[in-house]
Amino acid sequence: MNYKHTLTGDQLRLVFNGDLIGENNGPELVELVNNTLSKGAKYCLIDIADVRYINSSGIGVLITILTKFRNKGGELFLIKPSEHVKKLLIITKLQAIFNIVDTEEQALGKIN
């Protein structure tokens, strides 16, 4: 999986592309999150529109990121999951835990 990140004010934006397999990128992503939280990030917006597949370790990474932001009084938003990823979130009942939105604007509307 490839990803890009930007930190604007208190918002970390991540764009994932490919397969979210936690073993490959997990520790690197968690370190990035820790660094941005120490810089004052409060919200994490993850665009997962181009994620084709997520394994259990990938789900673990998303839950870890979610927990870190919520522990700091913030929130994580999953933006535009593919149909396959949406089904996975429903089957695992994780759609009840994550804030899932269709656009970045919807996420920003929930922040402000």
Side-chain angles (χ1 to χ4, degrees):
M1 179 191 77
N2 298 313
Y3 68 92
K4 296 180 207 167
H5 73 280
T6 55
L7 179 62
T8 307
D10 63 355
Q11 298 167 12
L12 171 63
R13 287 178 174 81
L14 293 165
V15 178
F16 292 173
N17 188 301
D19 297 337
L20 179 51
I21 300 173
E23 300 90 18
N24 297 342
N25 299 96
E28 186 179 320
L29 284 167
V30 171
E31 183 178 337
L32 171 68
V33 166
N34 287 334
N35 289 339
T36 57
L37 284 168
S38 70
K39 293 177 183 174
K42 193 169 179 180
Y43 302 101
C44 184
L45 291 77
I46 304 179
D47 184 331
I48 59 172
D50 293 325
V51 171
R52 300 177 303 229
Y53 171 79
I54 302 177
N55 72 356
S56 59
S57 294
I59 289 172
V61 169
L62 290 177
I63 292 171
T64 299
I65 296 171
L66 173 73
T67 302
K68 288 183 174 292
F69 274 90
R70 285 191 179 163
N71 284 344
K72 294 285 188 175
E75 190 55 71
L76 178 142
F77 297 90
L78 295 179
I79 301 171
K80 201 173 183 185
S82 68
E83 284 304 312
H84 176 75
V85 171
K86 245 186 229 179
K87 287 177 187 172
L88 174 69
L89 293 170
I90 290 169
I91 289 168
T92 58
K93 302 201 184 303
L94 291 173
Q95 87 283 2
I97 295 170
F98 287 102
N99 267 305
I100 302 170
V101 295
D102 291 326
T103 65
E104 184 174 320
E105 290 74 26
Q106 285 179 328
L108 294 174
K110 291 183 177 196
I111 291 171
N112 299 326

